[in-house]
Amino acid sequence: MKNDRGDIELAGVCKSFDGVTNVVDGVNLKIADGAYCCFIGPSGCGKTTILRMIAGHEDPTAGEIVIGGQNVVGLAPAQRRTAMMFQSYALFPHLTVRENIAFALRVRGMSKADRLRAADAMIEKVRLTQFADRLPAQLSGGQQQRVALARAAITEPRVLLLDEPLSALDEQLRVQMRQELRRMQQELGITFIHVTHTQLEAIALADLVVVMEQGRIKQAGPARDVYAHPHDRYVAEFMGGQNVLSGRVEKVNGASFTLAQAAPSGIEVPLQARPTVSVGDKVDIAVRRDDVALVRPGKDLPPGCTTSLPSRVLAIEYQGYFVKVMLDTVPDDQFVAYVPEKTFFADPFTVGDVVMATWATGSALPLA
Amino acid sequence: MQPSSTPSRSNLAGWLYISPLVLVLVPFFVAPILVVLAASFFATDGFGGLTPGFTLASYVEVLHSALTLKLYLATIKFTVLTWIFTLIIGFFVAYFLVFHVRNQLLAIGLFLLCTVPFWTSNIIRMISWIPLLGKEGLINQVLLSTGVIRQPLEVLLFSDLAVVIAYVHQLTIFMIVPIFNSMARIDKKLIEAAIDAGASRFDIMRLIVVPMSKSGIALGTIFVVSIVMGDFFVVKVMSGGGSASVVSAFYEDVGVLQYPTAAASAVLLTLVLVAIVSLILRTVDIRQEITR
C-alpha cells in the first residue's frame, strides 16, 4: 500500500562533515502534511544540509528523519518518494524539455508512449507546451525553473524539496515565480520544503517559517509569529522590520518593567512574554519599525505612549508608500522608523532635525 | 580617410594573429602534402629518378593490387580492435578518476600516473613486452609451471595479439585525456539530480555520462584511429614481420625507390582518414566541446 502522507519529523538530527563541528546540531522539527515550510538563515547555517538529508543526498550523523511515519534514514531518494529541485536547476543539458521531465519515468521503466504522455500533461501544467522540444540552454531563467519544478513533480512525490529555487532569477521574475510555486504547491497538495536566505520570500510563501543559525533552529512557527513576535535578538534582526534595544531593568512594577535609558522617562515594557525579570537584568526588547511614531520635541505624545526617546535624524529614504527615517536613538544599534508617506509629508523632517521617537507601550516586545 | 584605411589595417592585424600558426603549418604540413601529391602523379625510371609530368599509373597500380585491399583490411582490423579496447579502458579510467576519486589532488596524481609509460621511448616500451610475452617470458613460465600448458604459447609475442596489446598500451592515454576532460565538465549536481529521479548507476552512465562525454570519446577516437592507421613500426616490431599495415607497404616502396607508388598510397590513406574523421565529426559536434 502506498503511503501518501508527507508529514515530516526531524528528531535530534545532527550532521558533521569533519567529525568535529556539527553543521546541523540537534534539530527537532515537525512539518505537517501538505505544509509549505521555509528554512531561512544566512549561508552556512545548515539549512541546505537539512534539505539534503531529508532528500537522501546526505546521511545524518545522528538522529532520525521520519516521513509519513516511516524512518527514511538510509533509503534512496526515490524510495523516500521525495523529489528535489536543485539550486540553478541541474537540468540535463543534452535532453529536451520533454525528455528532462520524463527522465524519472524513463529510469522507472515506464514505456515511451506512457512517459511522454505523462510528461506532456505536466508540461501543460507548467505552461511550457510550445517549448517542449527545446534544450534547457534555449530557455529563459523562469522557463528553466518551471522545467525543474515539472521534472521534480512528475513522480508524484509526497515531499518536494527546493534549494534556493528563486535565487537565479531577477527581482521581478522572482515575485512572479514565487506565486507560481505557491500555486503549484496548492495544486499538488504535497509538502514543500523551501530553503532561502530572503526573508520576504519566506514570509510570503510559508505556512511554517524555520529560522536557523549555526546548525540550530532559533525559531519555528507561522510567518506572522516569527515576524511579529521574534523570540530573540537574532531572529528579530534577521527577519527585519524590528528595532532592537537593550538596557538594564531599572524597576519592575506590576504588569510592566522599565528599562534604564539616557532619556528621562526610561522605556516601559509590558511583562506578558517574560514573567521573570528582576532589577539589574540586561534585557533586549524589540519595537516594530512601523510602530514607531516621530513627534517634534515639546508636542504631546500620541495616546498610549509612555516612552519617548530624543533622537537626531541621520538619513531619510523615500520608499513609496512609506518613508524610512534612520535615527541615532540608541548608541550602538540601528534605529529606524517607517513613517507612512502621508504622515511624513504632512510635516516633513530633514536630516539633522531633533525628534522624539515614541511608540505605544504595549507594542514593545521583550526578547529572550 | 579613416573609414577606408580601417579595414586594411584590421586585415593586416588578422594576418599577424594567425601568422605563427601559418608559419608552422605551411612548411611542415601543407608543403610536404603538396610534394607528396605532386610526386604521386610523376612517372619514375624505376631507380628513384622522377620524371615531372601527370600520370595516373601509380594510382592504377595501387588500386589494382590485391595487396592494397588485404593491407587495408589488416589495418582496419588492428584499428577496430585497438579502438574498442582503448575506448573501454579509457572510458572507465576517466570515469573512475572523475566520479569516484573524491580528492582532486589524488585524481590529478592518478592521472599523471597514467602518463608514466610515456616517460620512456616507444621502442623501449615495446621491447619491455618481450620478457613478459616471449617464449621464455613470464606468462609462459607461470602457465608452464602451473601445468596449464605443456608447450609455451607462441601466440603471445610476434603475433597480431602482441600488436594489439602494444597499441592499446601506447594509445589508451589518448582516450583517457579527452574523455577525462569532457567528463570533468559534467556538473556533479546532474548526477545527483539523476539519483534523485531514481536512476541506477547504470542508468546514470547510459543516459547522462556517456552522452555528455560523446565529444571526448570522438576526439579520443580520432587520435587513436589516425595513429593506428598511420603506423607501421609497431606492427613490424610486435608482429616480428608477420603482419603488415598500409603504411608498411609504402615504407617498403620507399625502400625500393618506388616513390610515386608510395606517394599514391599515402594520398589514398590520407583520403581514407579524412573520410573517417569527417564521419566522426558529423556524428559528434566537437566544436561545441572546444568552445564551451
Side-chain angles (χ1 to χ4, degrees), chain A residues 79-98:
Chain A
Q79 294 170 301
R80 297 177 185 214
R81 302 200 36 241
T82 58
M84 185 149 167
M85 192 177 132
F86 289 81
Q87 192 176 9
S88 67
Y89 317 137
L91 299 175
F92 305 124
H94 60 297
L95 300 180
T96 63
V97 168
R98 185 182 285 118

Side-chain angles (χ1 to χ4, degrees), chain B residues 74-86 164 224-225 228-229:
Chain B
T75 304
I76 285 168
K77 182 185 78 185
F78 286 135
T79 308
V80 169
L81 286 172
T82 308
W83 176 67
I84 290 172
F85 287 114
T86 52
V164 173
V224 169
V225 167
V228 174
M229 299 227 20

Side-chain angles (χ1 to χ4, degrees), chain B residues 77-250:
Chain B
K77 182 185 78 185
F78 286 135
T79 308
V80 169
L81 286 172
T82 308
W83 176 67
I84 290 172
F85 287 114
T86 52
L87 178 61
I88 293 170
I89 298 171
F91 182 86
F92 283 101
V93 170
Y95 183 82
F96 174 77
L97 289 178
V98 173
F99 293 105
H100 287 270
V101 183
R102 292 278 171 91
N103 182 341
Q104 207 186 353
L105 210 65
L106 182 64
I108 293 169
L110 289 172
F111 187 73
L112 288 177
L113 212 61
C114 295
T115 67
V116 167
F118 289 79
W119 295 359
T120 176
S121 91
N122 194 4
I123 299 172
I124 293 175
R125 263 179 289 148
M126 278 193 290
I127 291 173
S128 61
W129 282 107
I130 294 173
L132 194 66
L133 301 175
K135 206 168 171 185
E136 265 111 54
L138 203 60
I139 291 180
N140 268 328
Q141 277 180 9
V142 169
L143 289 179
L144 281 172
S145 64
T146 52
V148 179
I149 50 170
R150 298 244 177 89
Q151 294 291 316
L153 292 174
E154 306 250 2
V155 72
L156 291 180
L157 192 62
F158 302 135
S159 64
D160 287 358
L161 175 70
V163 174
V164 173
I165 288 175
Y167 276 140
V168 171
H169 177 208
Q170 278 180 20
L171 301 178
T172 299
I173 190 82
F174 290 101
M175 276 292 185
I176 296 175
V177 174
I179 297 179
F180 177 89
N181 189 35
S182 54
M183 268 185 196
R185 294 176 201 217
I186 299 176
D187 188 351
K188 299 287 182 292
K189 282 236 171 92
L190 295 183
I191 309 297
E192 225 165 50
I195 293 172
D196 202 76
S200 66
R201 204 175 272 219
F202 178 67
D203 284 332
I204 292 171
M205 193 176 289
R206 188 170 60 101
L207 301 174
I208 309 292
V209 178
V210 170
M212 293 193 71
S213 315
K214 245 180 9 194
S215 51
I217 292 171
L219 269 174
T221 303
I222 291 175
F223 287 144
V224 169
V225 167
S226 55
I227 292 174
V228 174
M229 299 227 20
D231 173 78
F232 75 96
F233 191 66
V234 174
V235 176
K236 193 177 159 157
V237 174
M238 294 308 285
S239 75
S243 299
S245 70
V246 175
V247 182
S248 42
F250 52 86

